Amino acid sequence: MADALLLTTCAAALEAMEECGYLAGDVEPAALVTAVGAVDRGGGVFHALNSQFRHKLTPAGRRTCRAVCQQGHDLFFTPPRRWHDAVCSLIGARCYLASRSWAVARSPLVSIASSNVGKGHRELPEWPRILEGILQQAKQRRWNLLLVEGTTFYTELHSASLLVDVPTTWLNLPLQQESLAGWLERCTAMLEERTSRFERDSPMDPLFVSPLVVGDALPAQSPLSGRDLLATTLADLVVAIHVRRGGRVEYALHQRLADQRFPPGSVWMRVPPADSRYPRGAAPIDAWLERGAVGWWLGRQETAAAWSAPELAACTTVARRLGEPVGSARRVRPQQVAARAPDACPESAGQPQWLVHCTRGTNGPKQSASLVTLSEAWNGTMPMAIDPLQNLALICRQGRLRANASLLRTSVACVCFSAVDLRELIARRRFRSHLGRWDWEPYGVLISRQQLERLGGRPVIYGDQDEFQRLPKMLRPFFQAVGKQGQWREEKEWRVCGDVDLQKLPWDSVHLFVHRKWEALRMARLSPWPVLWLED
């Protein structure tokens, strides 16, 4: 950064500190810049103020400087890298509140860049194995992963930080229309109080990036749209998984590759296998290699073993007394428990005796998948692409229906059911283009309504936004909007909060159902519960 711009940034930061009530006297920008340059061990502005300008600090300023430094963080006027001029030319002059380990570059800061690959990442079904390969490289090469909330694969990489021993840094962006003083006060308070949810839930170190210190906002870049540019610019190395033509990630990588002040070979671009298809809109790899990117691909040693369904060996059934849980079973002679589904499920006092839960197919684990599911995908113990029948086999193996909140109004995860008769429900199914899937599939689980009621299950409450606001908090997870034409009432939905552990239910209160007879005969070899088929 040019000396004049550095002094201007320093002067703006000092003015912001005065607004925050941290400084009681004037500090010359040139003197502070010199003092920061003399600080060793990765120290920055707060370290210099606390050691050489302590008499200029207010009691609040001393407390803040001490607290931030004790957390291992400091304030910097420029990225502590040789190519800081290139960084400033792309994202402008900014201040950074970051860990001192960033300043001494103990580990390379690595950003994982990717354009959107569709809902549930369905355009890149092998994504778990790709991330697994990256995580293996991160452990071997001692990378520090730079994560930005809202970018593709953020949730999965955040979950990975809880499963594997890879250091991670969370890039915190400035709020819209936030002043430098407001940013400084907000970020120092987060470090002082340690109240950030990211610091509570994971070992991620925060890296706070300030608003622009000099000039207006970058053209067509808001804090929301500039996150890809900030991540790819501040990283020491960018590992790109998929880049869509005309997207923000492509723009950010072009800018980095075009500036020769960045280290050569600091952009890695994934080379898809010869037998795989490019995700929609992907740019050819040759064009990136010509610009200076380095190609990378998953070697065999980085690829998990292919998933295979559980072995369908000898048919066995189990003898139980009615009402006993699955765990109390005793193995007896080989036998299959499978039958054709009845034309109509029985009712009692006008209420259905059985509620329907349909399984769906996915192209790999969902974004909201549990850590157990993600771990299974990375370790190769579950398939990359799961059809509804395979999903039902996984439910048999795990013995539970897992809850999620991806399409619900609240954050409380639930398992959803329908009180519509099974055959009627499947007959009326439609393809929902906005979700990219069928609303119902001819595979799933039937559970006794009486048993679900004992688990706290109940019908959803249909209504509009006003009715939602009037509901007590404990009932809000059971709310469902009626839809523009009231169409969602037809589903007669029920919900249970949290997972449903099938193994704790009486054996005769759970049935599986599949589409074809041959599927039922095979599933009966895996299932501890009876299996019904819909069509011969």
Side-chain angles (χ1 to χ4, degrees):
M1 183 185 293
D3 292 342
L5 188 56
L6 180 59
L7 291 174
T8 302
T9 303
C10 181
L14 289 170
E15 184 179 345
M17 290 182 196
E18 289 184 19
E19 289 185 41
C20 294
Y22 296 163
L23 287 176
D26 292 337
V27 176
E28 288 295 327
L32 181 57
V33 169
T34 302
V36 171
V39 173
D40 59 0
R41 299 187 305 277
V45 176
F46 285 156
H47 194 97
L49 286 173
N50 204 36
S51 60
Q52 299 192 34
F53 299 94
R54 188 175 178 80
H55 61 288
K56 300 282 188 177
L57 293 170
T58 65
R62 294 191 195 103
R63 184 176 64 252
T64 297
C65 286
R66 182 173 61 253
V68 171
C69 290
Q70 285 177 348
Q71 296 290 347
H73 289 70
D74 215 324
L75 182 68
F76 302 93
F77 294 143
T78 181
R81 296 293 187 269
R82 297 190 311 273
W83 53 91
H84 56 78
D85 287 344
V87 174
C88 294
S89 67
L90 286 184
I91 63 175
R94 299 173 185 265
C95 293
Y96 305 88
L97 188 58
S99 168
R100 288 198 294 271
S101 63
W102 178 51
V104 298
R106 291 174 182 166
S107 300
L109 198 61
V110 180
S111 174
I112 310 302
S114 178
S115 300
N116 192 297
V117 287
K119 290 181 180 178
H121 311 322
R122 63 174 178 266
E123 294 181 28
L124 193 67
E126 65 272 25
W127 67 264
R129 293 181 183 174
I130 294 172
L131 293 192
E132 182 196 13
I134 291 173
L135 290 170
Q136 289 182 3
Q137 287 294 312
K139 293 192 70 171
Q140 294 171 10
R141 298 171 181 263
R142 301 180 183 275
W143 287 349
N144 187 326
L145 297 182
L146 180 63
L147 307 183
V148 191
E149 189 172 10
T151 54
T152 307
F153 299 119
Y154 165 80
T155 301
E156 292 77 15
L157 289 168
H158 180 211
S159 299
S161 70
L162 303 175
L163 289 171
V164 296
D165 187 22
V166 174
T168 50
T169 295
W170 163 51
L171 186 61
N172 180 282
L173 307 182
L175 305 177
Q176 293 196 26
Q177 307 301 321
E178 188 174 35
S179 66
L180 185 58
W183 169 82
L184 185 61
E185 196 166 20
R186 174 177 64 86
C187 298
T188 53
M190 290 177 70
L191 286 177
E192 282 186 85
E193 300 171 12
R194 305 295 285 177
T195 56
S196 166
R197 64 187 174 95
F198 294 94
E199 291 175 309
R200 284 202 311 265
D201 296 343
S202 76
M204 287 197 290
D205 259 335
L207 194 167
F208 299 96
V209 181
S210 80
L212 282 169
V213 173
V214 182
D216 299 325
L218 298 176
Q221 297 292 332
S222 69
L224 182 65
S225 63
R227 59 194 172 199
D228 294 300
L229 180 62
L230 286 168
T232 56
T233 302
L234 290 172
D236 302 324
L237 171 67
V238 181
V239 178
I241 295 175
H242 159 59
V243 181
R244 189 185 297 273
R245 289 191 186 97
R248 292 193 297 265
V249 174
E250 182 189 52
Y251 169 77
L253 293 177
H254 277 173
Q255 297 299 312
R256 181 176 178 119
L257 288 169
D259 196 323
Q260 296 184 358
R261 291 173 292 184
F262 284 101
S266 61
V267 174
W268 292 10
M269 190 68 58
R270 185 178 75 94
V271 179
D275 58 349
S276 72
R277 64 179 180 87
Y278 280 87
R280 186 173 54 192
I285 186 64
D286 291 345
W288 287 106
L289 299 181
E290 290 174 0
R291 295 187 183 100
V294 176
W296 69 275
W297 61 91
L298 286 176
R300 290 188 178 182
Q301 71 277 9
E302 296 171 344
T303 304
W307 184 89
S308 59
E311 190 69 27
L312 300 182
C315 306
T316 60
T317 186
V318 287
R320 304 177 180 84
R321 297 182 181 90
L322 291 182
E324 286 184 346
V326 172
S328 63
R330 307 182 308 279
R331 290 189 177 276
V332 292
R333 67 186 186 281
Q335 181 180 342
Q336 295 188 25
V337 183
R340 189 176 187 277
D343 293 334
C345 292
E347 294 187 355
S348 175
Q351 291 286 335
Q353 290 187 17
W354 298 88
L355 299 178
V356 184
H357 174 85
C358 291
T359 61
R360 296 193 176 99
T362 61
N363 284 329
K366 297 179 181 178
Q367 187 177 17
S368 57
S370 67
L371 295 182
V372 172
T373 305
L374 291 173
S375 178
E376 288 179 340
W378 290 330
N379 293 328
T381 55
M382 72 174 290
M384 297 301 101
I386 310 174
D387 63 32
L389 180 58
Q390 288 175 316
N391 209 346
L392 191 57
L394 286 174
I395 290 171
C396 275
R397 189 180 72 185
Q398 297 172 353
R400 66 174 53 237
L401 299 176
R402 298 196 179 275
N404 82 59
S406 58
L407 295 177
L408 305 184
R409 181 68 64 94
T410 71
S411 60
V412 178
C414 298
V415 180
C416 301
F417 298 84
S418 174
V420 178
D421 178 79
L422 173 59
R423 288 191 177 275
E424 180 184 347
L425 187 70
I426 301 305
R428 65 162 75 155
R429 74 188 190 120
R430 290 184 294 172
F431 186 80
R432 304 288 181 180
S433 56
H434 65 290
L435 297 176
R437 58 169 172 78
W438 292 90
D439 48 6
W440 309 104
E441 295 281 3
Y443 302 90
V445 183
L446 292 168
I447 299 181
S448 162
R449 174 179 56 83
Q450 185 180 21
Q451 292 298 325
L452 287 178
E453 287 177 333
R454 291 176 179 174
L455 296 177
R458 56 160 294 158
V460 301
I461 302 166
Y462 291 101
D464 55 22
Q465 179 62 25
D466 292 337
E467 291 174 278
F468 175 76
Q469 296 297 336
R470 289 195 295 268
L471 284 175
K473 189 173 182 179
M474 63 181 297
L475 290 179
R476 290 187 175 184
F478 298 97
F479 174 83
Q480 173 61 49
V482 294
K484 294 180 180 179
Q485 299 176 342
Q487 68 272 26
W488 301 124
R489 291 184 187 274
E490 300 174 359
E491 294 187 354
K492 299 181 182 179
E493 185 177 348
W494 283 57
R495 288 178 190 163
V496 176
C497 293
D499 292 357
V500 175
D501 190 341
L502 301 177
Q503 299 183 79
K504 293 183 178 180
L505 297 177
W507 170 73
D508 56 352
S509 67
V510 179
H511 289 60
L512 308 186
F513 64 89
V514 296
H515 190 197
R516 304 285 184 185
K517 180 178 179 179
W518 68 267
E519 294 170 329
L521 296 178
R522 295 186 66 187
M523 182 62 68
R525 302 176 182 181
L526 296 174
S527 173
W529 305 284
V531 184
L532 307 176
W533 68 81
L534 296 169
E535 295 183 15
D536 294 333

